Amino acid sequence: MADTATTASAAAAASAASASTDAPPFQLGKPRFQQTSFYGRFRHFLDIIDPRTLFVTERRLREAVQLLEDYKNGTLRPGVTNEQLWSAQKIKQAILHPDTNEKIFMPFRMSGYIPFGTPIVVGLLLPNQTLASTVFWQWLNQSHNACVNYANRNATKPSPASKFIQGYLGAVISAVSIAVGLNVLVQKANKFTPATRLLVQRFVPFPAVASANICNVVLMRYGELEEGIDVLDGDGNLVGSSKIAARHALLETALTRVVLPMPILVLPPIVMSMLEKTALLQARPRLLLPVQSLVCLAAFGLALPLAISLFPQMSEIETSQLEPEIARATSSRTVVYNKGL
């Protein structure tokens, strides 16, 4: 009876909010844009990574959460529009973890990934790297990635600090080893001219970062493979915990982490190799770093929403593909799980 009352209350709230014709009808906990298409997911994640949400005050966050609670309980004040409800949900999703409802530390939110990650990308792509600088930038990059992966993990099961430390060390060691090894190979390649060697050296960060990103995701979230993650039916009810769903979640996240650095670490070296030949930059070499920073920022801003839009955050899977006990526990043909970001 309580569920029926809540549903009726939400329906009444939806009717009260229908005054806005510019926005689609609000659905609590559902994305504003269709997640069945890449374009819909792209628009959804543009909201998730919107850096303007970094400046939302504590008071505005509380107001947004309260507005959504009022909608859920059917006590929404008259005059609230769909646009206001979607805006409130955007703020909540950008700042609070979907499983724990706790605030994510600003540099580790998806909305903070570009502002806080761009300086690191610029450092990774600096020409004429020394061994020390290569180690430093790879360490800093994987440290940031590790914290982002942990902060945006599926948190339906507790994860001990020891797992975080193991994953962090594994990711850093793999990234530094690959980057340093490739740099040494390039330096010893006598067939390359100095100009070619410099160009090839600029592409070294990509295989190092892509390989380490896979290690980072798997090691940081290995506990999900051991414990499983929660799967929900179409009404949001918990069906059970699935290790198979956890494998799907990690595979999807790892693929996004391979795609993500492609435009970021491949496009800027190509663009900069052409821009450096222009009369402007040859006459004003001090502009090289600011120009490279802008190129990296543009590439990062394009790559992040494209990469994380490959799969919906709340992914769907048929129960026939999961453990027998999961299939027996629900009459639903499919269930959903939080893939993480």
Side-chain angles (χ1 to χ4, degrees):
M1 290 293 290
D3 288 343
T4 305
T6 301
T7 304
S9 298
S15 177
S18 63
S20 172
T21 56
D22 296 331
F26 179 72
Q27 292 181 289
L28 184 65
K30 301 290 185 182
R32 178 171 180 168
F33 306 102
Q34 286 291 330
Q35 298 297 284
T36 51
S37 70
F38 177 83
Y39 179 65
R41 293 194 296 272
F42 181 75
R43 294 188 68 185
H44 169 68
F45 284 116
L46 282 179
D47 273 353
I48 297 294
I49 68 169
D50 187 346
R52 291 175 297 178
T53 60
L54 295 172
F55 303 101
V56 170
T57 62
E58 188 69 32
R59 178 182 175 183
R60 180 70 185 93
L61 174 61
R62 287 198 302 269
E63 289 174 350
V65 172
Q66 186 58 53
L67 190 65
L68 296 175
E69 280 298 312
D70 291 345
Y71 174 88
K72 181 179 179 181
N73 297 325
T75 57
L76 203 61
R77 66 182 184 274
V80 175
T81 64
N82 284 310
E83 187 61 48
Q84 288 174 306
L85 289 167
W86 285 120
S87 177
Q89 183 156 277
K90 171 182 173 177
I91 290 170
K92 181 182 178 183
Q93 289 178 339
I95 298 174
L96 304 181
H97 193 283
D99 296 328
T100 65
N101 275 324
E102 294 178 357
K103 284 182 72 174
I104 300 173
F105 187 45
M106 189 182 292
F108 308 145
R109 298 174 195 165
M110 294 310 292
S111 55
Y113 202 32
I114 294 174
F116 290 96
T118 298
I120 299 173
V121 172
V122 173
L124 284 169
L125 294 175
L126 289 173
N128 301 315
Q129 295 263 16
T130 64
L131 178 62
S133 65
T134 298
V135 171
F136 171 76
W137 288 113
Q138 289 290 347
W139 163 77
L140 188 60
N141 181 54
Q142 290 306 321
S143 296
H144 184 234
N145 284 343
C147 292
V148 170
N149 287 335
Y150 184 78
N152 294 279
R153 72 197 184 283
N154 181 303
T156 55
K157 295 287 185 295
S159 180
S162 60
K163 297 290 184 184
F164 173 82
I165 295 170
Q166 289 173 11
Y168 170 71
L169 291 175
V172 170
I173 291 170
S174 63
V176 171
S177 301
I178 295 169
V180 171
L182 289 174
N183 267 325
V184 170
L185 286 175
V186 171
Q187 292 294 343
K188 289 184 176 180
N190 297 323
K191 294 180 180 179
F192 293 149
T193 64
T196 304
R197 184 180 291 114
L198 178 61
L199 182 62
V200 172
Q201 221 170 0
R202 282 180 156 176
F203 288 99
V204 165
F206 172 66
V209 169
S211 304
N213 281 355
I214 297 174
C215 296
N216 202 321
V217 169
V218 174
L219 293 171
M220 292 300 300
R221 296 175 55 179
Y222 186 74
E224 296 174 28
L225 295 175
E226 292 182 322
E227 302 290 334
I229 58 175
D230 289 348
V231 293
L232 313 172
D233 62 19
D235 297 321
N237 301 313
L238 177 64
V239 176
S241 185
S242 170
K243 295 180 180 180
I244 296 175
R247 288 205 298 270
H248 280 263
L250 261 66
L251 176 61
E252 291 169 355
T253 306
L255 285 174
T256 65
R257 292 301 192 273
V258 172
V259 173
L260 176 58
M262 283 183 185
I264 301 172
L265 298 177
V266 173
L267 286 180
I270 296 173
V271 173
M272 288 307 299
S273 66
M274 293 186 292
L275 291 179
E276 285 168 359
K277 298 173 183 176
T278 61
L280 175 66
L281 291 184
Q282 286 187 345
R284 297 176 177 83
R286 289 183 179 180
L287 292 177
L288 278 172
L289 186 58
V291 169
Q292 179 166 322
S293 300
L294 289 174
V295 171
C296 290
L297 180 62
F300 210 158
L302 171 69
L304 182 59
L306 287 176
I308 60 179
S309 298
L310 291 175
F311 306 99
Q313 182 172 357
M314 297 302 295
S315 291
E316 190 175 51
I317 187 170
E318 293 186 2
T319 53
S320 59
Q321 298 180 33
L322 300 178
E323 294 87 344
E325 58 269 23
I326 298 292
R328 290 194 298 266
T330 180
S331 58
S332 298
R333 189 177 64 85
T334 60
V335 290
V336 296
Y337 57 90
N338 177 16
K339 167 184 71 68
L341 288 174

